[in-house]
Amino acid sequence: MHDFQKLIIWQKSMNITKDVYRLSAEFPKEEKYGLTSQIKRCAVSVPSNIAEGAGRNSDKEFRQFLGISSGSANELLTQLLLSNRLGLVSEQKVSPIVDQLVEVQKINYSLIKKFSK
């Protein structure tokens, strides 16, 4: 069992989630039940799955939840890029979040690799 609040990956993904919430607040009102809702859900899913996996009984279970978190991070990346392509938000605002997300994905991959041994 790991103390998830001390994990750098969890801390960084929490910051991403905060940034995504702030960014999505700028989306048009008609997106409230569409992309805005979806992007918030998968942003929350990234640190949530890290935390859930950290609380499991084995490294194998932790690795499984890191994999789920990785999938949510890819989904979030897709939605951020789509938001920009749709003109809902500028590349200037999306780019720093994308950079943070790529960093989290690299850490996640390293952890999955570590717990696969």
Side-chain angles (χ1 to χ4, degrees):
M1 185 140 88
H2 308 273
D3 182 355
F4 69 89
Q5 292 182 64
K6 291 182 180 176
L7 296 172
I8 298 295
I9 189 172
W10 180 83
Q11 294 168 9
K12 288 181 179 286
S13 60
M14 287 290 285
N15 289 336
I16 290 168
T17 302
K18 177 187 68 176
D19 292 344
V20 165
Y21 264 73
R22 289 181 177 159
L23 181 73
S24 65
E26 299 176 19
F27 289 5
K29 297 292 182 217
E30 61 266 15
E31 284 297 327
K32 182 177 181 181
Y33 299 108
L35 194 53
T36 304
S37 175
Q38 184 67 23
I39 204 168
K40 286 179 177 180
R41 278 196 307 272
C42 65
V44 168
S45 180
V46 176
S48 295
N49 278 293
I50 293 165
E52 185 172 355
R56 294 298 176 133
N57 295 321
S58 70
D59 287 346
K60 182 180 178 182
E61 287 180 294
F62 188 26
R63 185 179 70 236
Q64 178 183 354
F65 280 90
L66 289 171
I68 295 167
S69 179
S70 180
S72 294
N74 284 328
E75 185 179 0
L76 177 57
L77 178 59
T78 298
Q79 292 167 4
L80 288 168
L81 296 173
L82 178 61
S83 298
N84 174 249
R85 285 187 182 194
L86 293 172
L88 300 175
V89 67
S90 70
E91 186 172 343
Q92 182 181 14
K93 290 184 179 181
V94 168
S95 187
I97 300 172
V98 167
D99 291 345
Q100 292 175 67
L101 193 53
V102 168
E103 183 182 357
V104 163
Q105 287 175 309
K106 287 177 183 177
I107 296 168
N108 199 347
Y109 176 74
S110 294
L111 283 173
I112 289 170
K113 212 166 132 180
K114 175 184 173 183
F115 291 121
S116 294
K117 295 178 180 177

